[in-house]
């Protein structure tokens, strides 16, 4: 499946009678509701048109923050991307035209500093 | 969370008493027979004296196909409890056994088992903790674990060890409780002592323990759960308060299981066993095998006209405070016999004494003079003359009103 | 022959993520990439146990979980034993008809090098000897990172950690690292391998091979820690590649305790100093006074590499 299941956000700050006995968490994958994108100081940007869809960035991402749609990488999950830059470093494709976002030559994925006022919504 | 709980047990018709078959068994063997009849899904255990016979016998049952339990012969007691935790989290019915240093090595995992609310049953064949190394009976092992969040039952005889083991499983797995239970008996004294033990028919035991259905299982891959998550400062307190409440509310569950088992076996299963207490002036409170010796001395004293009695708690965790207070509140002098020392408590009191006196204080029954006798450490025999000396000292307190030394020793060379 | 296993990302890219975002491991941490690669390589349902450590605390912050699959943590030293308990339960419940007989589950235990090389060493050994069918994965970042970068027996000689600091008299950790992979292989279990995440094809092929064997398997995987190793967060994969290219971390496998295969032989073996240069924990080794140590380490790496090639030759 390509679409991530809608993760259920856990209820927070429950009183002691209502917390789950034994600390069991029965909402799998609920950390999707926890935003780690705010940790980022650098933001990866992809030039979709020049991307070869080799999927290296996807398999190398520590945060599973590169969403897949129909077997293809689709932007970034900026709500969770921590901006580590592994995707840039591992991207094997040198672009032939200037990058659509940065205007620079180099790789399909390039990093730019976060200005701090971007929202952390999914994708561009 | 409570809404999706299913009842743990499929209870059958109200059971009538079933005749036991009587066998000559030592206490450890009696427990292994209880385990054979329960036929748990998983047993992970490591041998240690004097528990060894439990693991050996059970291994033979596995080898002979008498049970179809998955037996995990681990490389340490810590691993035993770790494997039990993994198996219990996977929804299995799980049992193990240990003694002394083995229990000490499990310590970390005892708290984890109870904190994760896993209904594991652990047979403890009580033995002194090192150092000095000693393989014989005292209660320093299980008493050290008294705050670990496990229920604790103490058996006077091999028969009680057998009966408690079966009840422990039902108590632990009750869907309103889900806490692990330690079922203790005295190493060598009952563990290796052969006696006449009544064994229920296998099917009766199977029916009594029923089928265990866990609320959550690691093997339920369609409904994945995370177990053993970590709590920041924002949740740990709530989880511990809830766990404490489960223990606080466990008494009715213990009572109900005991009552049902009593009816089934025809053997009394009191929370605390009282003997000659109705009009007792001098009384002793003691756990496990020494209660038998004490009762025998009380019979002699009664024949001599002494109003003596004895109280034997079968349950130590949760502590049956009100029952004990009610039993002794009219006594003129009471002695607690402790087979362990709580080092550093006032004058080196024993753990049972600490709880008995705190129960009296909290019940406002502060005028009962209670003293503590440390006895039987490292397997030192508790003989009838020693018990008589305890009652002699109680009668002195009764007659003079002078409580004297609070912590005393019996059977110790002066 | 399982060696024909090929890994094609297109075949797995649509799989559900079993370790989801929102975990709190550091940016650039090697561990979550490795775990993702492992879980994407396995077709069956999985049940996981994880030792106390970075991976555990960062993925299970109550009431959140980053796991989309059954997962348990019980303590630091016993991930292998906890999973053996679950595997024993699986066998028992299957035998008794309480689980569908055709339900195949792969059991995996994760531990760091502290949990594997040190405090949990006996527990892993016991579980391997008992022959539980499970995969043990050591996420090896060469020190106790979760508690603040203290030395472990996986820490290489010369590395700076907070309990083997490089000082005026002692240049970092004095002892050699424990040959854990070889010790695991010496249990004569079906499959043991060393891997690194930059070479995901090799790593995922090894996972497929490991979970296909009938018995226990161990993977020792180099997992860079940007914080502890002192490197930029984007260098994680480049650094493990250098570890393989310098033969500091050879990618190899051992089948049934004796059949050695070296899976990657660098065309040009690089000096180990090239690997050290990338990380601040080795910075002091480049002081002139410590030149002897660098030479000693290079000699040891050469010796171990030669031994490995010899072992491979002997087993063919």
């Amino acid at each position: 499946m390509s679409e991530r299941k809608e993760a259920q956000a856990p209820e927070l700050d429950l009183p002691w009678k209502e917390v789950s006995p034994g600390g069991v968490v029965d909402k799998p994958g609920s950390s999707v509701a926890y935003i780690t994108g705010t940790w980022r100081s650098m933001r990866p940007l992809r030039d979709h048109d020049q991307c070869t869809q080799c999927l290296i960035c996807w398999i190398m991402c520590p945060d599973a923050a590169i969403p897949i749609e129909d077997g293809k990488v689709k932007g970034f999950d900026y709500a969770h991307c921590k901006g580590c830059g592994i995707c840039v470093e591992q991207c094997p494709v040198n672009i032939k035209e200037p990058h659509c976002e940065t205007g620079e030559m180099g790789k399909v994925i390039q990093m730019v500093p976060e200005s701090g006022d971007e929202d952390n919504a999914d994708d561009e | 969370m409570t809404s999706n709980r299913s009842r743990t047990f499929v209870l059958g018709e109200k059971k009538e008493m079933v005749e036991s078959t009587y066998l000559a068994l030592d206490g450890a063997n009696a427990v292994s027979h209880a385990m054979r009849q329960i036929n748990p899904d998983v047993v992970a255990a490591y041998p240690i004296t004097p528990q060894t016979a439990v693991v050996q016998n059970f291994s033979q049952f596995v080898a002979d196909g008498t049970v179809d339990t998955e037996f995990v012969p681990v490389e340490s007691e810590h691993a035993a409890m770790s494997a039990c935790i993994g198996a219990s989290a996977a929804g299995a019915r799980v049992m193990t056994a240990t003694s002394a240093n083995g229990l000490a090595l499990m310590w970390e995992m005892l708290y984890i088992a109870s904190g994760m609310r896993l209904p594991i049953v652990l047979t403890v064949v009580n033995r002194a903790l090192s150092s000095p190394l000693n393989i014989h009976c005292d209660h320093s092992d299980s008493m050290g674990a008294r705050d670990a969040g496990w229920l604790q039952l103490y058996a006077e005889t091999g028969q009680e060890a057998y009966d408690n083991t079966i009840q422990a499983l039902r108590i632990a797995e009750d869907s309103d409780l889900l806490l692990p239970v330690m079922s203790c008996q005295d190493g060598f004294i009952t563990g290796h002592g052969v006696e006449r033990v009544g064994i229920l028919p296998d099917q009766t035991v199977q029916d009594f323990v029923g089928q265990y259905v866990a609320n959550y299982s690691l093997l339920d891959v369609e409904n994945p759960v995370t177990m053993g998550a970590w709590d920041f400062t924002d949740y740990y307190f709530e989880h511990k308060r809830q766990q404490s409440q489960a223990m606080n509310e466990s008494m009715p569950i213990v009572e109900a299981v005991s009552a049902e088992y009593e009816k089934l076996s025809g053997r009394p299963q009191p929370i605390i066993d009282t003997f000659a207490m109705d009009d007792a002036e001098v009384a002793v409170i003691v756990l496990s095998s020494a209660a038998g010796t004490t009762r025998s001395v009380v019979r002699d004293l009664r024949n001599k006209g002494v109003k003596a009695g004895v109280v034997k708690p079968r349950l130590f965790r949760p502590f049956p405070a009100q029952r004990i207070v009610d039993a002794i509140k009219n006594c003129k002098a009471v002695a607690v016999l402790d087979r362990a020392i709580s080092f550093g408590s006032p004058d080196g009191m024993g753990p049972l004494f600490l709880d008995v006196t705190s129960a009296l204080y909290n019940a406002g029954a502060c005028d009962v003079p209670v003293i503590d006798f440390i006895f039987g450490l490292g397997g030192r025999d508790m003989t009838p003359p020693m018990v008589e000396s305890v009652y002699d000292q109680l009668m002195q307190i009764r007659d003079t009103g002078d409580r004297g030394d609070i912590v005393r020793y019996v059977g110790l060379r002066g | 022959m399982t060696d024909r296993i090929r890994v094609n990302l297109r075949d797995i890219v649509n799989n559900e993520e079993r370790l989801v975002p929102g975990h709190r491991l550091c940016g650039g941490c090697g561990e979550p990439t490795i775990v993702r690669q492992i879980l994407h390589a396995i077709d069956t349902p999985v049940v996981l146990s994880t030792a106390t450590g970075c991976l555990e605390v960062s993925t299970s912050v109550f009431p959140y979980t980053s796991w989309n699959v059954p997962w348990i943590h019980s303590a630091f030293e016993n991930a292998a034993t906890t999973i053996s308990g679950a595997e024993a339960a699986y066998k028992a419940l299957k035998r008794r008809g309480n689980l569908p007989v055709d339900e195949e589950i792969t059991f995996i235990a994760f531990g760091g090098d502290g949990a594997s090389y040190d405090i949990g060493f006996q527990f892993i050994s016991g579980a391997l000897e008992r022959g539980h069918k499970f995969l043990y994965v050591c996420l090896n970042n060469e020190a106790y990172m979760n508690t603040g970068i203290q030395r472990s027996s996986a820490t290489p000689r010369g590395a700076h950690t907070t309990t083997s600091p490089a000082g005026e008299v002692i240049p970092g950790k004095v002892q050699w690292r424990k040959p854990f992979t070889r010790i695991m292989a010496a249990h004569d279990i079906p499959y043991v391998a060393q891997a690194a995440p930059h070479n995901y094809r090799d790593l995922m092929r090894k996972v497929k091979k490991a979970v296909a064997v009938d018995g226990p398997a161990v993977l020792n995987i180099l997992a860079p820690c940007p914080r502890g190793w002192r490197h930029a967060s984007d260098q994680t994969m480049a650094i493990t590649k250098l570890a393989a290219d310098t033969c500091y971390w050879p990618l190899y496998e051992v089948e049934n305790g004796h059949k050695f295969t070296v899976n990657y032989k660098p065309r040009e073996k690089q000096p180990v100093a090239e690997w050290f240069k990338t990380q601040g924990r080795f910075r002091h080794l480049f002081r002139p006074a410590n030149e002897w140590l660098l030479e000693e380490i290079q000699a040891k790496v050469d010796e171990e590499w030669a031994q490995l090639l010899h072992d491979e030759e002997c087993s063919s």
Side-chain angles (χ1 to χ4, degrees):
Chain A
M1 57 160 287
S2 55
E3 286 300 309
R4 195 171 285 141
K5 260 190 231 162
E6 197 60 44
Q8 289 176 280
E11 280 184 273
L12 302 178
D13 300 328
L14 289 171
W16 70 265
K17 286 181 183 169
E18 293 168 34
V19 292
S20 60
V24 172
V25 183
D26 61 1
K27 289 177 178 164
S30 57
S31 75
V32 168
Y34 186 82
I35 304 304
T36 53
T38 51
W39 301 11
R40 198 173 52 245
S41 61
M42 297 288 282
R43 167 178 285 241
L45 298 168
R46 180 192 309 277
D47 186 329
H48 286 282
D49 292 342
Q50 301 194 68
C51 176
T52 62
Q53 292 295 336
C54 70
L55 305 175
I56 301 281
C57 58
W58 170 77
I59 198 66
M60 291 298 177
C61 178
D63 290 284
I66 299 178
I68 297 294
E69 212 172 89
D70 298 331
K72 292 183 172 169
V73 296
K74 179 195 165 236
F76 292 95
D77 168 4
Y78 288 120
H80 297 103
C81 166
K82 294 167 186 159
C84 69
I86 288 177
C87 54
V88 177
E89 199 279 331
Q90 286 287 297
C91 177
V93 180
N94 288 310
I95 49 180
K96 299 194 170 65
E97 306 285 330
H99 194 283
C100 66
E101 301 268 357
T102 67
E104 304 283 337
M105 294 305 287
K107 294 195 174 169
V108 165
I109 309 173
Q110 299 188 3
M111 293 291 255
V112 296
E114 282 288 337
S115 65
D117 52 10
E118 294 94 342
D119 65 24
N120 288 314
D122 233 343
D123 305 318
E124 290 92 332
Chain B
M1 275 297 171
T2 47
S3 59
N4 63 0
R5 281 191 183 178
S6 56
R7 282 301 300 181
T8 307
F9 300 102
V10 185
L11 292 175
E13 298 287 304
K14 278 283 170 203
K15 299 171 190 82
E16 296 304 316
M17 195 194 126
V18 177
E19 286 297 330
S20 289
T21 304
Y22 289 89
L23 302 174
L25 295 174
D26 61 41
N29 213 337
V31 167
S32 49
H33 273 288
M35 290 170 69
R36 173 185 61 74
Q37 296 181 310
I38 290 165
N39 194 6
D41 297 315
V42 175
V43 168
Y46 189 80
I48 181 172
T49 304
Q51 155 267 36
T52 346
V54 178
V55 183
Q56 287 173 352
N57 291 335
F58 195 78
S59 304
Q60 192 66 51
F61 295 143
V62 174
D64 293 341
T66 319
V67 294
D68 62 351
T69 300
E70 191 66 26
F71 179 60
V72 188
V74 285
E75 79 288 348
S76 75
E77 288 88 354
H78 191 295
M81 190 49 67
S82 300
C84 285
I85 285 169
S88 184
R93 171 171 279 164
V94 180
M95 300 181 81
T96 185
T98 196
S99 294
N101 299 39
L103 184 62
L105 189 57
M106 279 184 190
W107 226 261
E108 180 191 24
M109 304 317 295
L110 295 177
Y111 282 80
I112 291 171
S114 61
M116 292 176 81
R117 306 288 296 271
L118 298 173
I120 297 162
V121 169
L122 164 62
T123 279
V124 177
V125 186
N126 284 116
R127 164 186 149 180
L129 279 178
S130 305
S131 174
L133 179 63
N134 175 291
I135 58 168
H136 291 277
C137 176
D138 70 34
H139 295 170
S140 52
D141 50 2
S142 57
M143 279 299 163
R146 68 192 189 274
D147 292 341
W150 288 58
L151 281 77
Q152 288 191 336
L153 294 159
Y154 285 80
E156 178 184 334
T157 59
Q159 179 71 66
E160 283 190 18
Y162 168 83
D163 292 335
N164 284 352
T165 303
I166 295 166
Q167 293 168 75
L169 196 81
R170 271 285 303 275
I171 295 164
E173 291 176 356
D174 189 288
S175 61
D176 287 330
L177 183 62
L178 296 176
L179 281 175
V181 181
M182 234 175 255
S183 177
C184 310
Q185 66 169 311
D186 283 349
F188 291 105
I189 302 168
T190 64
H192 281 56
V194 176
E195 58 177 275
R196 183 174 177 268
V197 179
I199 299 288
L200 289 166
D202 293 356
Q203 191 56 49
T204 304
V205 174
Q206 275 289 308
D207 292 345
F208 181 78
V209 296
Q211 172 95 30
Y212 171 56
V213 181
N215 285 346
Y216 299 104
S217 163
L218 290 173
L219 303 180
D220 183 0
V221 293
E222 297 299 319
N223 299 290
V225 287
T226 287
M227 294 186 177
W230 97 287
D231 279 7
F232 264 118
T233 49
D234 53 357
Y235 284 99
Y236 185 87
F237 200 171
E238 279 71 23
H239 276 129
K240 287 293 140 181
R241 174 67 186 88
Q242 190 185 61
Q243 183 187 337
S244 177
Q245 190 66 12
M247 184 68 99
N248 295 346
E249 291 174 354
S250 62
M251 190 66 86
I253 295 164
V254 180
E255 284 167 344
V257 172
S258 301
E260 192 183 325
Y261 189 82
E262 178 172 316
K263 200 173 167 204
L264 187 69
S265 64
R267 292 185 283 270
Q269 304 297 325
I271 302 296
I272 68 164
D273 175 90
T274 54
F275 181 75
M277 285 302 296
D278 285 350
D279 62 344
E281 292 178 350
V282 286
V284 159
I285 306 173
V286 62
L287 297 169
S288 303
S289 67
T293 315
T294 311
R295 216 179 281 114
S296 153
V297 169
V298 165
R299 277 194 202 96
D300 292 344
L301 290 171
R302 283 276 170 179
N303 287 337
K304 292 176 194 160
V306 178
K307 290 184 173 175
V310 56
V311 175
K312 182 201 70 179
R314 187 170 63 100
L315 184 71
F316 181 71
R317 283 287 178 269
F319 190 69
Q322 193 56 49
R323 282 184 170 81
I324 289 176
V325 170
D326 289 345
I328 64 171
K329 65 186 175 198
N330 296 321
C331 292
K332 298 203 164 84
V334 173
V336 174
L337 305 190
D338 264 301
R339 206 160 198 152
I341 297 173
S342 174
F343 294 106
S345 65
D347 298 325
M349 294 162 176
L352 183 57
F353 180 81
L354 290 168
D355 279 358
V356 166
T357 49
S358 114
L360 288 168
Y361 177 86
N362 290 320
C366 300
D367 47 356
V368 184
V370 188
I371 55 170
D372 191 14
F373 281 91
I374 308 295
F375 80 102
L377 299 192
R380 181 65 48 87
D381 275 340
M382 182 67 160
T383 62
M386 292 176 193
V387 178
E388 283 163 20
S389 86
V390 168
Y391 280 102
D392 285 345
Q393 293 174 60
L394 287 178
M395 285 188 272
Q396 206 174 0
I397 294 170
R398 177 197 63 187
D399 297 341
T400 63
D402 179 11
R403 193 180 179 194
D405 289 337
I406 296 173
V407 179
R408 307 179 187 195
Y409 302 85
V410 60
L412 176 74
R413 285 188 299 278
Chain C
M1 216 8 222
T2 45
D3 273 323
R4 278 195 230 109
I5 297 167
R6 290 284 176 270
V7 175
N8 188 341
L9 296 182
R10 303 214 179 279
D11 298 339
I12 54 169
V13 72
N14 287 321
N15 291 351
E16 188 179 18
E17 288 293 340
R18 290 167 161 180
L19 174 62
V20 306
H23 65 71
R24 305 186 202 184
L25 286 154
C26 301
C29 174
E31 291 188 351
T33 299
I34 295 167
V35 173
R36 286 186 60 234
Q37 291 177 358
I38 290 170
L39 297 180
H40 274 298
I42 298 171
D43 301 325
T44 65
V46 292
V47 171
L48 313 177
S49 85
T50 300
T52 310
C54 293
L55 180 69
E56 174 262 325
V57 295
S58 303
T59 58
S60 69
V61 187
F62 190 88
Y64 296 96
T65 179
S66 304
W67 301 97
N68 246 343
V69 287
W71 180 92
I72 182 171
H73 155 254
S74 72
F76 186 9
E77 61 279 60
N78 61 359
T81 322
T82 306
I83 209 72
S84 22
E87 188 252 12
Y90 171 70
K91 280 196 266 194
L93 296 175
K94 227 176 176 180
R95 186 163 60 227
R96 291 173 168 192
N98 295 332
L99 278 178
V101 280
D102 57 350
E103 179 159 86
E104 283 303 318
I105 294 178
T106 300
F107 293 88
I108 309 175
F110 292 105
D113 50 292
S116 309
Y117 281 60
D118 293 341
I119 198 168
F121 193 63
Q122 162 190 317
F123 293 76
I124 300 166
S125 182
L128 300 183
E129 183 270 337
R130 290 191 301 273
H132 298 279
K133 185 163 165 30
F134 79 113
L135 167 62
Y136 187 87
V137 179
C138 173
L139 299 165
N140 185 355
N141 53 28
E142 303 196 319
Y144 304 151
M145 298 313 187
N146 192 43
T147 44
I149 320 160
Q150 294 87 22
R151 85 185 279 288
S152 77
S153 63
T155 304
R157 180 162 158 86
H160 168 100
T161 71
T162 54
T163 52
S164 66
E168 294 302 317
V169 183
I170 303 172
K173 192 190 171 196
V174 175
Q175 299 81 7
W176 298 107
R177 56 190 167 152
K178 190 188 274 183
F180 180 78
T181 309
R182 282 181 175 273
I183 299 169
M184 293 297 104
H187 285 74
D188 285 357
I189 56 170
Y191 191 75
V192 174
Q194 259 188 203
H198 71 279
N199 194 339
Y200 68 89
R201 285 179 199 278
D202 177 68
L203 190 153
M204 293 171 81
R205 184 188 62 79
K206 283 172 175 166
V207 171
K208 285 176 181 291
K209 212 165 163 179
V211 301
V213 299
D214 188 20
V218 176
L219 293 180
N220 189 5
I221 306 181
L222 194 65
C225 169
R227 175 80 183 88
W229 291 11
R230 299 285 194 261
H231 65 78
S233 65
D234 64 347
Q235 292 301 302
T236 301
M237 301 303 156
I239 280 175
T240 67
K241 179 165 192 325
L242 257 180
D245 285 340
T246 54
C247 300
Y248 168 85
W249 190 259
L251 308 182
Y252 71 99
E253 59 194 356
V254 189
E255 288 163 272
N256 301 310
H258 62 269
K259 186 176 179 291
F260 283 68
T261 308
V262 181
N263 310 105
Y264 175 73
K265 290 169 188 160
R267 216 166 292 153
E268 205 172 329
K269 182 166 167 285
Q270 310 231 5
V272 73
E274 292 303 309
W275 191 67
F276 286 165
K277 273 182 205 163
T278 59
Q279 301 154 65
R281 63 175 171 152
F282 297 118
R283 190 184 304 132
H284 56 283
L285 296 183
F286 295 96
R287 287 182 204 147
N290 291 331
E291 209 174 307
W292 64 274
L293 184 52
L294 209 50
E295 285 167 14
E296 215 182 274
I297 295 169
Q298 181 65 62
K300 177 85 166 168
V301 167
D302 293 345
E303 183 191 310
E304 286 176 357
W305 178 245
Q307 180 64 47
L308 193 59
L309 295 176
H310 174 75
D311 290 338
E312 181 184 45
E313 202 180 307
C314 290
S315 44
S316 61

